[in-house]
Amino acid sequence: MALLEMRGIKKHFGGVEALKGVDFVLEAGEIQALVGENGAGKSTLMKVLSGVFQPDGGQMLLAGNPLRPRSVAEAQQAGIVMVYQELNLVSDLSVAENLFLGRLPPLMGYTRLNQEAQALLGQMGLEFPPEASVRQLSTGEQQLVAVARAFVQRAKVMVFDEPTATLSANEVEQLFRLIRRLRSEGVGVAYISHRLEEIFLLADRVTVLRDGERVSMAPLSELTPERVVNLMVGREVRAYQRQPHGSEGELGRFQVEAAGLAPLGLTLNKGEIVGLAGVIGSGRSEVLRAMFGLVGSASWRGTRLSGPLTALRQGIFYIPADRKTQGLVLELSARENVTLSVLSRLQWLGVMKAAQEQQLVKGWFRRLSVRPSDPERPARTFSGGNQQKLVLAKGLATTPQVLLMEEPSRGVDVVTRYELYALLDELARGGLSLLVSSSDTEELSGLCDRVLVFRGGRVVVQLEAPLDREEVVAHVTGARRVA
Amino acid sequence: MSPGRGGWRELLSRYGIVLALGALVLVLALLSPSFLTPSNWLNVLRQIAVNALLAFGMTVVILGAGIDLSVGSILAFTGAVAAGLSVAGWPPALAILVALVLGALIGLFNGVFVAYARIAPFIVTLAGLTIFRGATLVYTNGMPITGLPDTFNVIGNAVWLGIPLPVWITLAFLALTHFLLRYTALGRAIYAVGGNEEAARLSGISVTRIKLFQYAYSGLACALGALVLNGRLNSAQPTAGVGFELDAIAAVVVGGTSLFGGRGTVMGTFLGALIIGVLNNGMNLLNVSAFYQQIVKGGVILGALLIDRLFATRRD
Ligand SMILES: Nc1ncnc2c1ncn2[C@@H]1O[C@H](COP(=O)(O)OP(=O)(O)OP(=O)(O)O)[C@@H](O)[C@H]1O
Ligand SMILES: [Mg+2]
């Protein structure tokens, strides 16, 4: 008997059928990857499992017993724990308190609590102090605490929805170790990711969803990355290969100063794609934030960038890493989000030019193939990858000269990522200069004309195309020092 | 908008307030024969005018994730100034203009503390509530100002095309606010700031300017309300508007606007004000004691929010 059986699960949102009768079977002691294009229904399926959504049809069995959680709390009671990207920790409590949250005996001394937490963390090879408050930890470390808590909660099923997006390479390794440990203790793990690499490192079996249906479930040994991509989209897809093109001369120079950052001067050429590599905290995202006038002080072509407004007037646009908290106004429609930065251009005496606005949005929807294609839906109802496209559309609608992007393909499916790269390349050919900060070294080496590697707040080396991924990795991790 | 979207839950969550109003009207019509007469309806509309005006301004503030507790005091102060200047011999039109500008300026004053000093709106406007009440008492010496010129009587009591002027003013301000929120870039920016301030800022929206505007608009609404109230009472009372902020907030919330900002409409607020007005009116017709009226009103506010909770389509 399987640990978890989901049969014929259906879920629709208004007119959108997100799940059209999906089966998902998970064995104890198995890691099963769940893959599919943006909007395929992965998150929805797992939210049904973890009590966030009520299904419209289908059945679930956990260890043979009917399961129908009406809330997240009920699902947890039954042993189903989902780790979201938005974390469910209490940030003012300590690591130890979070670990044992909801399971604290009425009178347990802090000394004992911390000792037990220390023991648990030690077992798992995690090295942060149990008395630290969660707020002080990096996002990655917080994620690890959330996973560690699953051990305390004695989870039977653990769900991860794109957990590695905000982790450093080192943290990813720790996370994988923990996940494998969960497996060896008989937990069933469902793992959603757009990074095929991770799936081939981690999974035992792979379920592929397409348009709300399961199209395949197969052991990893029978699959190749190409095969998985084909199953996801239902056709042949070729990996993106960029032909770097010569750049057309100097566009301008950034001068950047910010706390924790060595002063940086960067001359940008017209139509080039410059990558910023480095671990989280290396300073690469501070640089972009300074260039948009958000922190420190920066200037572009001698003009001081005192805030987003001045930066925008200089033709600079910034796409933040976290679309939900920084990129989108989730309650507004997709249309209203896309035009948020060009309101002044779409008005006449303060009144919005509705027809022109609609046309502009329709154009970007087509160009980026946003799905679903109805721009009147609230941004919150779009899947993760499509939300990312909305943010990108908002930036491109300003027709910038310089586009600053953080983690451009975070949460974007493989195929869309290739489309995105092709689009960025096309924009660069059209004269747009891009600064791309990313933790994905494959992305950087495949996309950029040159890459600046950051460590400890300064650029330690600049690598020029043709770029070798291994070399980028070596510099990022500090395995290779520059002579 | 795609067809087939909806279902009864979404329908109820969207039009629940209309249905609630309908049900209320039905019940009152059955209980009291005089309820459905046209003259009683005009009466209701006239009675809600001041609260509706304040609530429209409040909607703009709350949509931007703020709150304005000082509306009652701004109303009293601007009303007193308009009355005082006219009694002192200023041309009424000029006195009215001064009151309107003054209302907007006081709102701006609140806005400066919210937008630049980044003090919580609740605190700023709570301070405003006592400051401008005090200013009113100083200005009036604690005495009503009477003997207003005829212009005020016209504002409060004139009838045009069978409809009282305060109702016209309310409808005009409703239309203006609706237009502002729905069709202008400024309105869009207000929703954006209320929905996600950080995202709005990163999109190049000047969040401080938007906030200044919201509070100034609310101040203007207060001055309008003050003029109507002066007209209806044919005087300016130093204690006018005490507690009005609560009714205004209630109308906004019953009308379906989220107190967290970013979601809601001024049309909803109008219906919310109407529900509260109809309820008051109905209970008066039925001779319900004023003590019980308060309990019922609070219950209706809770009920409206409960319905909103129960039928709102689930958000993740
Ligand atoms: N709360 C919601 N309201 C309305 N529609 C929704 C809601 N959540 C998801 N959807 C829709 O359901 C479909 C499946 O979305 P889901 O988030 O499950 O996709 P996903 O496979 O997780 O995609 P991604 O890889 O982009 O995260 C999409 O079409 C999405 O627009
Ligand atoms: Mg998802």
Side-chain angles (χ1 to χ4, degrees), chain A residues 353-365:
Chain A
K353 294 191 263 189
Q356 205 167 321
E357 179 183 19
Q358 253 152 20
Q359 214 173 1
L360 180 82
V361 172
K362 221 184 264 166
W364 284 112
F365 260 59

Side-chain angles (χ1 to χ4, degrees), chain A residues 309 328 341 350 352 357 380 394, chain B residues 183 185 188 196 203-204 315:
Chain A
L309 264 177
L328 294 172
S341 289
M352 294 297 296
E357 179 183 19
R380 117 187 100 75
K394 175 172 74 172
Chain B
Y183 297 104
R188 187 74 59 79
N196 185 343
S203 301
R315 295 164 203 292

Side-chain angles (χ1 to χ4, degrees), chain A residues 13 18 37-44 162 194 377 381 383-385, chain B residues 316:
Chain A
F13 297 102
E37 287 183 278
N38 293 130
K42 306 177 293 293
S43 297
T44 306
E162 300 183 36
H194 288 298
R377 291 163 57 96
T381 66
S383 75
Chain B
D316 46 336

Side-chain angles (χ1 to χ4, degrees), chain A residues 22-258:
Chain A
V22 175
D23 293 348
F24 183 74
V25 179
L26 190 65
E27 301 289 341
E30 166 191 41
I31 300 174
Q32 192 172 143
L34 191 53
V35 300
E37 287 183 278
N38 293 130
K42 306 177 293 293
S43 297
T44 306
L45 184 66
M46 289 300 114
K47 284 179 177 170
V48 166
L49 174 63
S50 61
V52 177
F53 294 139
Q54 306 302 309
D56 300 321
Q59 288 161 0
M60 297 190 272
L61 295 175
L62 183 67
N65 302 314
L67 172 77
R68 183 139 206 183
R70 308 188 135 268
S71 68
V72 176
E74 256 184 56
Q76 285 192 356
Q77 216 78 69
I80 292 163
V81 177
M82 185 157 172
V83 179
Y84 302 92
Q85 247 171 284
E86 313 87 40
L87 288 154
N88 29 9
L89 298 176
V90 185
S91 50
D92 281 319
L93 293 184
S94 73
V95 170
E97 285 167 316
N98 267 289
L99 281 176
F100 293 104
L101 202 65
R103 296 180 182 248
L104 296 170
L107 283 173
M108 178 153 130
Y110 273 92
T111 330
R112 252 207 55 216
L113 181 69
N114 286 337
Q115 274 168 4
E116 291 200 5
Q118 181 84 65
L120 188 75
L121 292 170
Q123 267 179 35
M124 290 182 285
L126 301 178
E127 283 166 3
F128 27 86
E131 61 276 3
S133 93
V134 162
R135 192 186 293 289
Q136 296 163 346
L137 304 180
S138 75
T139 333
E141 290 169 335
Q142 294 186 15
Q143 191 125 28
L144 294 172
V145 174
V147 180
R149 192 164 68 177
F151 286 92
V152 182
Q153 291 174 319
R154 307 211 180 289
K156 297 193 183 90
V157 174
M158 242 352 265
V159 180
F160 293 89
D161 195 347
E162 300 183 36
T164 55
T166 51
L167 301 194
S168 69
N170 188 15
E171 289 164 342
V172 170
E173 254 168 53
Q174 282 186 308
L175 176 71
F176 283 10
R177 250 205 331 267
L178 284 185
I179 292 180
R180 291 200 180 100
R181 236 189 114 101
L182 286 165
R183 171 173 63 186
S184 69
E185 298 197 355
V187 176
V189 177
Y191 188 91
I192 301 178
S193 178
H194 288 298
R195 298 188 180 169
L196 293 180
E197 237 182 36
E198 294 177 353
I199 284 157
F200 278 82
L201 270 175
L202 204 58
D204 302 309
R205 290 194 293 178
V206 180
T207 287
V208 183
L209 293 188
R210 190 198 307 155
D211 287 335
E213 283 173 293
R214 185 176 82 173
V215 292
S216 153
M217 206 271 278
L220 189 78
S221 53
E222 292 173 12
L223 295 168
T224 61
E226 292 73 33
R227 177 85 188 119
V228 172
V229 175
N230 290 351
L231 286 167
M232 276 168 56
V233 291
R235 61 183 156 83
E236 291 283 318
V237 177
R238 269 201 283 135
Y240 172 77
Q241 274 286 305
R242 177 165 184 250
Q243 306 297 331
H245 52 97
S247 99
E248 314 146 39
E250 195 177 311
L251 181 69
R253 187 172 168 80
F254 276 110
Q255 211 62 53
V256 181
E257 274 173 48

Side-chain angles (χ1 to χ4, degrees), chain A residues 47 52 292 294 308-309 312 324-326 328-329 331-332 335-336 339-341 347 350-352 357 380 394, chain B residues 2 4-6 179 183-185 188 191-192 195-196 198-199 201-206 262-263 314-316:
Chain A
K47 284 179 177 170
V52 177
F292 198 54
L294 295 169
L309 264 177
L312 269 169
K324 279 204 166 135
T325 61
Q326 302 177 303
L328 294 172
V329 183
E331 289 297 330
L332 287 184
R335 165 176 56 82
E336 290 164 315
T339 56
L340 211 50
S341 289
Q347 61 169 340
V351 180
M352 294 297 296
E357 179 183 19
R380 117 187 100 75
K394 175 172 74 172
Chain B
S2 57
R5 192 172 151 195
F179 182 80
Y183 297 104
T184 70
R188 187 74 59 79
Y191 278 98
N196 185 343
E198 176 71 358
R201 192 168 70 101
L202 292 182
S203 301
I205 287 172
S206 168
R263 204 154 48 88
R314 203 151 177 182
R315 295 164 203 292
D316 46 336

